[in-house]
Amino acid sequence: MSGLTNEEENAKLVQQARSAPAAGAKTSSTIISSSPYHGLWALTNRELKKWYKNPVILLLSLIQPVLWLGLFGKAMNFGAIFTEGGLNIPGLNIPKEVINQLGGMLMLNIFGTYDYFSFLAVGMLSFIIIFTAMFSGMSIVWDRRLGTLNKVMSTPVARGSIVMSKVISSVMRSLVQAAIVLVLAILLGMDTSHMSLLGVIGTFASLALLSFGFSAVFLMLALRSTNQNTQMAVVNLLNLPLLFGSNALFPANLMPEWLQAFVRVNPISYATDIGRQLLLGAGGMSSLAFDFAYLGAFAAVFSIVGILLSWRLLTK
Amino acid sequence: MQIRDLKRVFNGSVVAVGGVTFDVYEGEIFGFLGPNGAGKTTTISMLTTLLRPTSGTATVCGFDILKEPNEVRKRIGVVPQEYTADEDLTGYENIMFCADLYGIPRRISRERADELLKLVELESAKDRKVETYSGGMRRRLELACGLINHPRVLFLDEPTLGLDVQTRAAVWEYIRRLKEEYGMTLFLTTHYLEEADSLCDRIAIIDHGKIVRIGSPRDLKDSLGGDVIELGVQGAEDDLAQLISSVQHVKEVKRVAPSEYRIKSELGEVTAPMIIDALRSKGYRVSKISLTRPTLDQVYLELTGRSIREENGDRTQAMRQRMIMRRARM
Ligand SMILES: Nc1ncnc2c1ncn2[C@@H]1O[C@H](COP(=O)(O)OP(=O)(O)OP(=O)(O)O)[C@@H](O)[C@H]1O
Ligand SMILES: [Mg+2]
């Protein structure tokens, strides 16, 4: 700014300021919408803008699931173990066709599909959802640190909108990412023989519910936090157990009893279960209806708790 | 705006604001002065409904901050101590974001955003990301954001912190103009006393969470009751306060350092030579002397002791302060 604004320019500025509708001041309170949702879209839009304007973040967030897909999915070729190459026991003269058929049956029994890659690809869809949800918690910590949160809270925006906007933007972000992961997986050789449009839509609906619930959970954990390191530690602590304690990477029925119990309450398992049934035509852990009901309840309960907590915790 | 016995205690023991009571009249510029950690920001946070008071209450624009916080929020604008604009967005997007938070219809908010960007001279930079802005530009953007809802009361927490002389002058110019144009009430804190002196209609000086004096700059200066003589005595270890106060017209003597004194007196120009004589007759040599008519600085020093105070605040506060400075430099 030039502090040396000359007289002329100054006069112009004053003129402009004058022409401003001074009456606006009097009517200001009346034009402000009293809808409790008016800030929701503004806040969501801001989050999304920050995201799509910075494609590097999008790319970085895709690297991990894609690496896992490539490394685990392709390297752990469980299918090969159960074919003639793997099941070649000397002395026993089992015909090739029998071995291959047996192997196929085994794979189908254990993973519900003929190749591990497809099995894992569905798990990776849930993985990216959890990953994004964790970072939505981080963003509220940043907003608090930088004072943005205070600024927002000094406006008539409903407190619940602050949390909901983060949840919604996280859901939208993670669905886009999941779509990209799915496309990449298909390009890398995921089994598409059972896929249908309806199946894909159903899968994404379940992912949306999963994202809704987990974003709300991680935001709640972050509501009171002022330190991004603490938040990071919490995220890291929950990250792997949540993932490994589900059927995303490995079938649950081969796990020890206690772990299976955990898998059964872990919402990730239900989203993955839906995905495998709808995308791969695999036999499920439970019925589709039950899966959806479980995820729906999970999403509903935690977003309601999140909104209630935000009323209490955001104002200190 | 009426503030009644407003009090805030942190963590059960840190008394940030220890019960303040005052009124701010409609249309005035009210200055809130005090050393670091005096409780200024805490008071503003309570009045802007960000912090719940431990006890006491206040009304802003006739609405109770506890019972009808949303009505208060609709009518106030806040320019916080920190830079809160989103760095990843442009100046224009930031303003529109603020407008949307108030639910102002697009048609009106576009018009206002243009008008405000013009006002704070950010028109040419409005489509640049805020991360490329200088400290002064950020400040002005904050100002514009705080005005988007045409508030009845605008809260400014150290609006000129970290700005150069020109930008500071310009910011005050905007503030003055705003008051004239929109007739709004301004509640601000600052550490620049000359500014407060020339701008504010009334000033409250707060220290340790208590209001120590309140009134117009004129009243405050008058309340000092006379001129101030500052005196240095060479090599004197003894307390000379007794001796000095025996001089005619001297009203009060304070020993501010082992060999330095601050003396309040009427008719300073007459008293000063008399003090020098009195000291000399006892064998002391005056090494330096200065005579000042009261300024707000002196009122402030008088009431709060030292001019700069080490912040004894907690770590978060210090961190935040550092962050502000880091960002201000960028
Ligand atoms: N969240 C908090 N938790 C604990 N103590 C706090 C908190 N916020 C402020 N305080 C303390 O309350 C006191 C008043 O702080 P406040 O920020 O209101 O001071 P201030 O007058 O605005 O100072 P400055 O001029 O440095 O901005 C300080 O001692 C500070 O450490
Ligand atoms: Mg402060």
Side-chain angles (χ1 to χ4, degrees), chain B residues 10-11 16 35-42 81 158 191 311 313-314 317:
Chain B
F10 285 110
N11 311 325
N36 288 137
K40 303 183 294 293
T41 303
T42 310
Q81 195 167 357
E158 291 175 37
H191 285 146
E311 184 141 28
D314 61 330
Q317 188 76 7

